[in-house]
Amino acid sequence: MNTDVVNILTMAKVIQTAVAPVFLITGIAATLGVLSNRLARITDRARTLERKLKTSSDEDFNHSLTTELRALLKRARYIHLAFSLSVLSATLVSAVVMLLFMANIQSVNLGTAIALCFMIAMVLLILAFISLLGEVYLAFRSMRRGMIFADIDLGE
């Protein structure tokens, strides 16, 4: 068989192998969209509370606003951590794709580096999801404590 044909077939196989990580990058991008929306909502709520805090002279009301602002800051930290971990994960998955092609073009065994990058990317993604779960827990806890829906009778 012609060497060019073998190279083309080998490259086609590398492209097939690289498709799965590319889909993973797409999934991470969707996660980043979710995280961005959550952070935007937290930021909008914090700005609203800060405006109320500046205009109010009621001590008790200001204390409740400050408490909610602290909770929002904690939530924003969790989202920021999840966002950062997700971006690092996507970067490593991109490195996996690049290393797959480099290994083929240079005829170098980069299997260990590829596996290591992929495993670290998965650990980072797991940590990002745990951080997101922490933020959701904080949001739910804030709601349960009455900071949100305080005036609604839930019939309990």
Side-chain angles (χ1 to χ4, degrees), residues 7-49:
N7 287 339
I8 290 171
L9 292 176
T10 305
M11 189 56 73
K13 186 68 174 166
V14 172
I15 290 170
Q16 285 177 335
T17 305
V19 167
V22 170
F23 279 120
L24 179 58
I25 292 169
T26 304
I28 295 171
T31 301
L32 290 172
V34 169
L35 294 171
S36 292
N37 286 335
R38 291 189 73 82
L39 184 58
R41 294 194 67 189
I42 292 168
T43 303
D44 290 344
R45 178 71 179 149
R47 285 183 182 143
T48 300
L49 294 178

mmCIF file of all heavy atoms in Angstrom, residues 7-49:
data_model
loop_
_atom_site.group_PDB
_atom_site.id
_atom_site.type_symbol
_atom_site.label_atom_id
_atom_site.label_comp_id
_atom_site.label_asym_id
_atom_site.label_seq_id
_atom_site.Cartn_x
_atom_site.Cartn_y
_atom_site.Cartn_z
ATOM 1 N N ASN A 7 -0.684 7.080 5.599
ATOM 2 C CA ASN A 7 -0.690 8.298 6.405
ATOM 3 C C ASN A 7 -2.086 8.897 6.494
ATOM 4 O O ASN A 7 -2.491 9.352 7.558
ATOM 5 C CB ASN A 7 0.292 9.329 5.840
ATOM 6 C CG ASN A 7 1.731 8.940 6.100
ATOM 7 O OD1 ASN A 7 2.006 8.150 6.996
ATOM 8 N ND2 ASN A 7 2.642 9.480 5.306
ATOM 9 N N ILE A 8 -2.801 8.904 5.390
ATOM 10 C CA ILE A 8 -4.160 9.444 5.388
ATOM 11 C C ILE A 8 -5.066 8.586 6.267
ATOM 12 O O ILE A 8 -5.853 9.099 7.059
ATOM 13 C CB ILE A 8 -4.713 9.547 3.948
ATOM 14 C CG1 ILE A 8 -3.968 10.652 3.187
ATOM 15 C CG2 ILE A 8 -6.207 9.848 3.967
ATOM 16 C CD1 ILE A 8 -4.271 10.687 1.710
ATOM 17 N N LEU A 9 -4.950 7.281 6.159
ATOM 18 C CA LEU A 9 -5.768 6.391 6.986
ATOM 19 C C LEU A 9 -5.415 6.530 8.464
ATOM 20 O O LEU A 9 -6.293 6.532 9.328
ATOM 21 C CB LEU A 9 -5.602 4.940 6.532
ATOM 22 C CG LEU A 9 -6.183 4.601 5.158
ATOM 23 C CD1 LEU A 9 -5.861 3.155 4.777
ATOM 24 C CD2 LEU A 9 -7.688 4.832 5.145
ATOM 25 N N THR A 10 -4.131 6.676 8.750
ATOM 26 C CA THR A 10 -3.695 6.867 10.133
ATOM 27 C C THR A 10 -4.235 8.186 10.679
ATOM 28 O O THR A 10 -4.719 8.248 11.812
ATOM 29 C CB THR A 10 -2.152 6.848 10.224
ATOM 30 O OG1 THR A 10 -1.678 5.636 9.648
ATOM 31 C CG2 THR A 10 -1.679 6.952 11.657
ATOM 32 N N MET A 11 -4.159 9.229 9.867
ATOM 33 C CA MET A 11 -4.677 10.532 10.286
ATOM 34 C C MET A 11 -6.187 10.469 10.497
ATOM 35 O O MET A 11 -6.722 11.056 11.448
ATOM 36 C CB MET A 11 -4.323 11.615 9.260
ATOM 37 C CG MET A 11 -4.626 13.021 9.733
ATOM 38 S SD MET A 11 -3.836 13.482 11.287
ATOM 39 C CE MET A 11 -2.157 13.662 10.773
ATOM 40 N N ALA A 12 -6.885 9.730 9.641
ATOM 41 C CA ALA A 12 -8.331 9.569 9.811
ATOM 42 C C ALA A 12 -8.639 8.895 11.145
ATOM 43 O O ALA A 12 -9.582 9.270 11.849
ATOM 44 C CB ALA A 12 -8.914 8.763 8.656
ATOM 45 N N LYS A 13 -7.826 7.917 11.513
ATOM 46 C CA LYS A 13 -7.998 7.230 12.797
ATOM 47 C C LYS A 13 -7.738 8.182 13.958
ATOM 48 O O LYS A 13 -8.452 8.155 14.964
ATOM 49 C CB LYS A 13 -7.048 6.017 12.865
ATOM 50 C CG LYS A 13 -7.238 5.173 14.062
ATOM 51 C CD LYS A 13 -8.572 4.472 14.017
ATOM 52 C CE LYS A 13 -8.665 3.502 15.200
ATOM 53 N NZ LYS A 13 -10.002 3.034 15.417
ATOM 54 N N VAL A 14 -6.731 9.037 13.829
ATOM 55 C CA VAL A 14 -6.437 10.024 14.874
ATOM 56 C C VAL A 14 -7.605 10.990 15.013
ATOM 57 O O VAL A 14 -8.011 11.344 16.125
ATOM 58 C CB VAL A 14 -5.127 10.781 14.572
ATOM 59 C CG1 VAL A 14 -4.914 11.934 15.543
ATOM 60 C CG2 VAL A 14 -3.945 9.834 14.622
ATOM 61 N N ILE A 15 -8.167 11.412 13.890
ATOM 62 C CA ILE A 15 -9.318 12.322 13.928
ATOM 63 C C ILE A 15 -10.498 11.650 14.623
ATOM 64 O O ILE A 15 -11.180 12.257 15.454
ATOM 65 C CB ILE A 15 -9.688 12.793 12.509
ATOM 66 C CG1 ILE A 15 -8.597 13.729 11.982
ATOM 67 C CG2 ILE A 15 -11.047 13.495 12.495
ATOM 68 C CD1 ILE A 15 -8.722 14.073 10.511
ATOM 69 N N GLN A 16 -10.736 10.371 14.316
ATOM 70 C CA GLN A 16 -11.812 9.637 14.990
ATOM 71 C C GLN A 16 -11.560 9.577 16.496
ATOM 72 O O GLN A 16 -12.479 9.734 17.298
ATOM 73 C CB GLN A 16 -11.916 8.214 14.440
ATOM 74 C CG GLN A 16 -12.546 8.128 13.076
ATOM 75 C CD GLN A 16 -12.549 6.693 12.545
ATOM 76 O OE1 GLN A 16 -11.721 5.875 12.944
ATOM 77 N NE2 GLN A 16 -13.474 6.409 11.648
ATOM 78 N N THR A 17 -10.333 9.358 16.887
ATOM 79 C CA THR A 17 -9.979 9.290 18.303
ATOM 80 C C THR A 17 -10.161 10.651 18.973
ATOM 81 O O THR A 17 -10.549 10.727 20.140
ATOM 82 C CB THR A 17 -8.520 8.817 18.461
ATOM 83 O OG1 THR A 17 -8.362 7.575 17.772
ATOM 84 C CG2 THR A 17 -8.144 8.637 19.912
ATOM 85 N N ALA A 18 -9.890 11.722 18.240
ATOM 86 C CA ALA A 18 -9.975 13.076 18.800
ATOM 87 C C ALA A 18 -11.402 13.584 18.911
ATOM 88 O O ALA A 18 -11.646 14.573 19.616
ATOM 89 C CB ALA A 18 -9.146 14.041 17.951
ATOM 90 N N VAL A 19 -12.345 12.923 18.260
ATOM 91 C CA VAL A 19 -13.730 13.400 18.274
ATOM 92 C C VAL A 19 -14.322 13.363 19.685
ATOM 93 O O VAL A 19 -15.001 14.299 20.106
ATOM 94 C CB VAL A 19 -14.599 12.609 17.272
ATOM 95 C CG1 VAL A 19 -16.070 12.865 17.485
ATOM 96 C CG2 VAL A 19 -14.207 12.976 15.851
ATOM 97 N N ALA A 20 -14.080 12.303 20.437
ATOM 98 C CA ALA A 20 -14.642 12.193 21.789
ATOM 99 C C ALA A 20 -14.192 13.348 22.693
ATOM 100 O O ALA A 20 -15.040 13.980 23.339
ATOM 101 C CB ALA A 20 -14.298 10.841 22.402
ATOM 102 N N PRO A 21 -12.892 13.668 22.752
ATOM 103 C CA PRO A 21 -12.495 14.822 23.568
ATOM 104 C C PRO A 21 -13.104 16.139 23.072
ATOM 105 O O PRO A 21 -13.411 17.015 23.885
ATOM 106 C CB PRO A 21 -10.964 14.854 23.444
ATOM 107 C CG PRO A 21 -10.581 13.457 23.108
ATOM 108 C CD PRO A 21 -11.712 12.921 22.293
ATOM 109 N N VAL A 22 -13.300 16.260 21.776
ATOM 110 C CA VAL A 22 -13.906 17.486 21.244
ATOM 111 C C VAL A 22 -15.346 17.614 21.734
ATOM 112 O O VAL A 22 -15.799 18.696 22.109
ATOM 113 C CB VAL A 22 -13.812 17.526 19.703
ATOM 114 C CG1 VAL A 22 -14.653 18.650 19.135
ATOM 115 C CG2 VAL A 22 -12.356 17.675 19.270
ATOM 116 N N PHE A 23 -16.076 16.499 21.784
ATOM 117 C CA PHE A 23 -17.432 16.533 22.330
ATOM 118 C C PHE A 23 -17.402 16.872 23.816
ATOM 119 O O PHE A 23 -18.292 17.563 24.319
ATOM 120 C CB PHE A 23 -18.160 15.210 22.097
ATOM 121 C CG PHE A 23 -18.727 15.078 20.715
ATOM 122 C CD1 PHE A 23 -18.321 14.039 19.890
ATOM 123 C CD2 PHE A 23 -19.658 15.982 20.228
ATOM 124 C CE1 PHE A 23 -18.833 13.917 18.606
ATOM 125 C CE2 PHE A 23 -20.180 15.870 18.949
ATOM 126 C CZ PHE A 23 -19.769 14.835 18.136
ATOM 127 N N LEU A 24 -16.401 16.391 24.516
ATOM 128 C CA LEU A 24 -16.247 16.733 25.932
ATOM 129 C C LEU A 24 -16.040 18.235 26.091
ATOM 130 O O LEU A 24 -16.618 18.848 26.992
ATOM 131 C CB LEU A 24 -15.080 15.954 26.541
ATOM 132 C CG LEU A 24 -14.786 16.226 28.005
ATOM 133 C CD1 LEU A 24 -15.992 15.928 28.885
ATOM 134 C CD2 LEU A 24 -13.588 15.402 28.452
ATOM 135 N N ILE A 25 -15.252 18.830 25.227
ATOM 136 C CA ILE A 25 -15.042 20.284 25.269
ATOM 137 C C ILE A 25 -16.374 21.006 25.060
ATOM 138 O O ILE A 25 -16.659 22.003 25.727
ATOM 139 C CB ILE A 25 -13.992 20.719 24.224
ATOM 140 C CG1 ILE A 25 -12.613 20.182 24.612
ATOM 141 C CG2 ILE A 25 -13.947 22.243 24.097
ATOM 142 C CD1 ILE A 25 -11.567 20.334 23.527
ATOM 143 N N THR A 26 -17.204 20.499 24.179
ATOM 144 C CA THR A 26 -18.525 21.089 23.951
ATOM 145 C C THR A 26 -19.372 21.008 25.214
ATOM 146 O O THR A 26 -20.064 21.965 25.576
ATOM 147 C CB THR A 26 -19.234 20.366 22.783
ATOM 148 O OG1 THR A 26 -18.402 20.434 21.630
ATOM 149 C CG2 THR A 26 -20.569 20.995 22.477
ATOM 150 N N GLY A 27 -19.310 19.872 25.891
ATOM 151 C CA GLY A 27 -20.044 19.728 27.147
ATOM 152 C C GLY A 27 -19.541 20.676 28.216
ATOM 153 O O GLY A 27 -20.330 21.267 28.965
ATOM 154 N N ILE A 28 -18.236 20.839 28.288
ATOM 155 C CA ILE A 28 -17.663 21.776 29.255
ATOM 156 C C ILE A 28 -18.085 23.203 28.908
ATOM 157 O O ILE A 28 -18.389 24.005 29.802
ATOM 158 C CB ILE A 28 -16.126 21.634 29.325
ATOM 159 C CG1 ILE A 28 -15.745 20.259 29.875
ATOM 160 C CG2 ILE A 28 -15.511 22.745 30.175
ATOM 161 C CD1 ILE A 28 -14.251 19.946 29.788
ATOM 162 N N ALA A 29 -18.135 23.517 27.628
ATOM 163 C CA ALA A 29 -18.581 24.850 27.210
ATOM 164 C C ALA A 29 -20.022 25.100 27.652
ATOM 165 O O ALA A 29 -20.354 26.210 28.097
ATOM 166 C CB ALA A 29 -18.452 24.999 25.696
ATOM 167 N N ALA A 30 -20.867 24.090 27.553
ATOM 168 C CA ALA A 30 -22.252 24.234 28.023
ATOM 169 C C ALA A 30 -22.279 24.469 29.532
ATOM 170 O O ALA A 30 -23.056 25.300 30.029
ATOM 171 C CB ALA A 30 -23.058 22.989 27.654
ATOM 172 N N THR A 31 -21.418 23.763 30.247
ATOM 173 C CA THR A 31 -21.318 23.952 31.697
ATOM 174 C C THR A 31 -20.864 25.375 32.014
ATOM 175 O O THR A 31 -21.382 26.016 32.936
ATOM 176 C CB THR A 31 -20.334 22.934 32.307
ATOM 177 O OG1 THR A 31 -20.797 21.615 32.015
ATOM 178 C CG2 THR A 31 -20.206 23.115 33.803
ATOM 179 N N LEU A 32 -19.917 25.879 31.238
ATOM 180 C CA LEU A 32 -19.452 27.259 31.439
ATOM 181 C C LEU A 32 -20.584 28.253 31.223
ATOM 182 O O LEU A 32 -20.669 29.270 31.922
ATOM 183 C CB LEU A 32 -18.273 27.569 30.510
ATOM 184 C CG LEU A 32 -16.964 26.853 30.852
ATOM 185 C CD1 LEU A 32 -15.932 27.088 29.750
ATOM 186 C CD2 LEU A 32 -16.433 27.304 32.190
ATOM 187 N N GLY A 33 -21.463 27.954 30.273
ATOM 188 C CA GLY A 33 -22.632 28.811 30.056
ATOM 189 C C GLY A 33 -23.542 28.834 31.276
ATOM 190 O O GLY A 33 -24.021 29.896 31.701
ATOM 191 N N VAL A 34 -23.775 27.675 31.854
ATOM 192 C CA VAL A 34 -24.600 27.578 33.070
ATOM 193 C C VAL A 34 -23.945 28.367 34.207
ATOM 194 O O VAL A 34 -24.606 29.137 34.917
ATOM 195 C CB VAL A 34 -24.810 26.099 33.471
ATOM 196 C CG1 VAL A 34 -25.411 25.984 34.859
ATOM 197 C CG2 VAL A 34 -25.687 25.387 32.448
ATOM 198 N N LEU A 35 -22.653 28.160 34.379
ATOM 199 C CA LEU A 35 -21.934 28.853 35.452
ATOM 200 C C LEU A 35 -21.952 30.367 35.247
ATOM 201 O O LEU A 35 -22.134 31.127 36.205
ATOM 202 C CB LEU A 35 -20.492 28.342 35.533
ATOM 203 C CG LEU A 35 -20.329 26.879 35.957
ATOM 204 C CD1 LEU A 35 -18.876 26.432 35.780
ATOM 205 C CD2 LEU A 35 -20.798 26.657 37.378
ATOM 206 N N SER A 36 -21.796 30.806 33.999
ATOM 207 C CA SER A 36 -21.837 32.246 33.706
ATOM 208 C C SER A 36 -23.206 32.833 34.050
ATOM 209 O O SER A 36 -23.291 33.925 34.633
ATOM 210 C CB SER A 36 -21.542 32.502 32.229
ATOM 211 O OG SER A 36 -20.225 32.185 31.939
ATOM 212 N N ASN A 37 -24.259 32.116 33.694
ATOM 213 C CA ASN A 37 -25.614 32.596 34.005
ATOM 214 C C ASN A 37 -25.841 32.667 35.510
ATOM 215 O O ASN A 37 -26.430 33.633 36.008
ATOM 216 C CB ASN A 37 -26.664 31.694 33.358
ATOM 217 C CG ASN A 37 -26.741 31.906 31.871
ATOM 218 O OD1 ASN A 37 -26.400 32.967 31.361
ATOM 219 N ND2 ASN A 37 -27.190 30.886 31.149
ATOM 220 N N ARG A 38 -25.384 31.666 36.237
ATOM 221 C CA ARG A 38 -25.547 31.675 37.697
ATOM 222 C C ARG A 38 -24.772 32.841 38.309
ATOM 223 O O ARG A 38 -25.273 33.539 39.193
ATOM 224 C CB ARG A 38 -25.115 30.349 38.305
ATOM 225 C CG ARG A 38 -26.044 29.204 37.955
ATOM 226 C CD ARG A 38 -25.744 27.942 38.721
ATOM 227 N NE ARG A 38 -26.146 28.017 40.108
ATOM 228 C CZ ARG A 38 -27.376 27.805 40.563
ATOM 229 N NH1 ARG A 38 -28.341 27.510 39.718
ATOM 230 N NH2 ARG A 38 -27.642 27.889 41.853
ATOM 231 N N LEU A 39 -23.549 33.063 37.835
ATOM 232 C CA LEU A 39 -22.749 34.172 38.353
ATOM 233 C C LEU A 39 -23.393 35.522 38.014
ATOM 234 O O LEU A 39 -23.406 36.430 38.844
ATOM 235 C CB LEU A 39 -21.320 34.111 37.807
ATOM 236 C CG LEU A 39 -20.353 35.161 38.346
ATOM 237 C CD1 LEU A 39 -20.236 35.075 39.868
ATOM 238 C CD2 LEU A 39 -18.990 35.006 37.688
ATOM 239 N N ALA A 40 -23.949 35.639 36.833
ATOM 240 C CA ALA A 40 -24.619 36.890 36.439
ATOM 241 C C ALA A 40 -25.818 37.172 37.344
ATOM 242 O O ALA A 40 -26.037 38.316 37.763
ATOM 243 C CB ALA A 40 -25.052 36.817 34.978
ATOM 244 N N ARG A 41 -26.580 36.146 37.660
ATOM 245 C CA ARG A 41 -27.736 36.330 38.543
ATOM 246 C C ARG A 41 -27.290 36.711 39.945
ATOM 247 O O ARG A 41 -27.905 37.557 40.600
ATOM 248 C CB ARG A 41 -28.582 35.068 38.570
ATOM 249 C CG ARG A 41 -29.221 34.825 37.194
ATOM 250 C CD ARG A 41 -30.304 33.831 37.223
ATOM 251 N NE ARG A 41 -31.416 34.372 37.993
ATOM 252 C CZ ARG A 41 -32.465 33.653 38.354
ATOM 253 N NH1 ARG A 41 -32.557 32.401 37.996
ATOM 254 N NH2 ARG A 41 -33.431 34.187 39.052
ATOM 255 N N ILE A 42 -26.224 36.086 40.429
ATOM 256 C CA ILE A 42 -25.688 36.432 41.754
ATOM 257 C C ILE A 42 -25.226 37.880 41.755
ATOM 258 O O ILE A 42 -25.516 38.643 42.680
ATOM 259 C CB ILE A 42 -24.534 35.480 42.149
ATOM 260 C CG1 ILE A 42 -25.072 34.072 42.398
ATOM 261 C CG2 ILE A 42 -23.782 36.002 43.362
ATOM 262 C CD1 ILE A 42 -23.982 33.006 42.505
ATOM 263 N N THR A 43 -24.515 38.282 40.713
ATOM 264 C CA THR A 43 -24.006 39.648 40.606
ATOM 265 C C THR A 43 -25.145 40.658 40.545
ATOM 266 O O THR A 43 -25.111 41.693 41.233
ATOM 267 C CB THR A 43 -23.103 39.789 39.362
ATOM 268 O OG1 THR A 43 -22.044 38.829 39.460
ATOM 269 C CG2 THR A 43 -22.529 41.180 39.244
ATOM 270 N N ASP A 44 -26.162 40.379 39.741
ATOM 271 C CA ASP A 44 -27.315 41.281 39.646
ATOM 272 C C ASP A 44 -28.005 41.435 40.997
ATOM 273 O O ASP A 44 -28.363 42.546 41.406
ATOM 274 C CB ASP A 44 -28.314 40.772 38.611
ATOM 275 C CG ASP A 44 -27.801 40.883 37.194
ATOM 276 O OD1 ASP A 44 -26.811 41.613 36.965
ATOM 277 O OD2 ASP A 44 -28.381 40.224 36.301
ATOM 278 N N ARG A 45 -28.191 40.318 41.689
ATOM 279 C CA ARG A 45 -28.838 40.356 43.004
ATOM 280 C C ARG A 45 -27.986 41.147 43.989
ATOM 281 O O ARG A 45 -28.508 41.956 44.765
ATOM 282 C CB ARG A 45 -29.079 38.932 43.513
ATOM 283 C CG ARG A 45 -29.695 38.856 44.881
ATOM 284 C CD ARG A 45 -31.133 39.284 44.870
ATOM 285 N NE ARG A 45 -31.687 39.162 46.213
ATOM 286 C CZ ARG A 45 -32.631 39.924 46.693
ATOM 287 N NH1 ARG A 45 -33.197 40.851 45.934
ATOM 288 N NH2 ARG A 45 -33.063 39.750 47.918
ATOM 289 N N ALA A 46 -26.683 40.959 43.965
ATOM 290 C CA ALA A 46 -25.791 41.680 44.878
ATOM 291 C C ALA A 46 -25.844 43.186 44.606
ATOM 292 O O ALA A 46 -25.874 43.988 45.545
ATOM 293 C CB ALA A 46 -24.365 41.158 44.750
ATOM 294 N N ARG A 47 -25.872 43.565 43.348
ATOM 295 C CA ARG A 47 -25.960 45.005 43.015
ATOM 296 C C ARG A 47 -27.260 45.612 43.518
ATOM 297 O O ARG A 47 -27.283 46.729 44.046
ATOM 298 C CB ARG A 47 -25.834 45.199 41.502
ATOM 299 C CG ARG A 47 -24.432 45.020 41.004
ATOM 300 C CD ARG A 47 -24.328 45.289 39.523
ATOM 301 N NE ARG A 47 -22.961 45.066 39.072
ATOM 302 C CZ ARG A 47 -22.635 44.549 37.920
ATOM 303 N NH1 ARG A 47 -23.561 44.217 37.046
ATOM 304 N NH2 ARG A 47 -21.374 44.378 37.592
ATOM 305 N N THR A 48 -28.349 44.862 43.373
ATOM 306 C CA THR A 48 -29.645 45.339 43.864
ATOM 307 C C THR A 48 -29.607 45.523 45.373
ATOM 308 O O THR A 48 -30.067 46.543 45.899
ATOM 309 C CB THR A 48 -30.762 44.330 43.488
ATOM 310 O OG1 THR A 48 -30.806 44.202 42.074
ATOM 311 C CG2 THR A 48 -32.103 44.783 44.000
ATOM 312 N N LEU A 49 -29.042 44.554 46.082
ATOM 313 C CA LEU A 49 -28.960 44.644 47.539
ATOM 314 C C LEU A 49 -28.054 45.786 47.973
ATOM 315 O O LEU A 49 -28.353 46.480 48.960
ATOM 316 C CB LEU A 49 -28.468 43.318 48.123
ATOM 317 C CG LEU A 49 -29.398 42.121 47.964
ATOM 318 C CD1 LEU A 49 -28.763 40.871 48.551
ATOM 319 C CD2 LEU A 49 -30.750 42.387 48.603
#
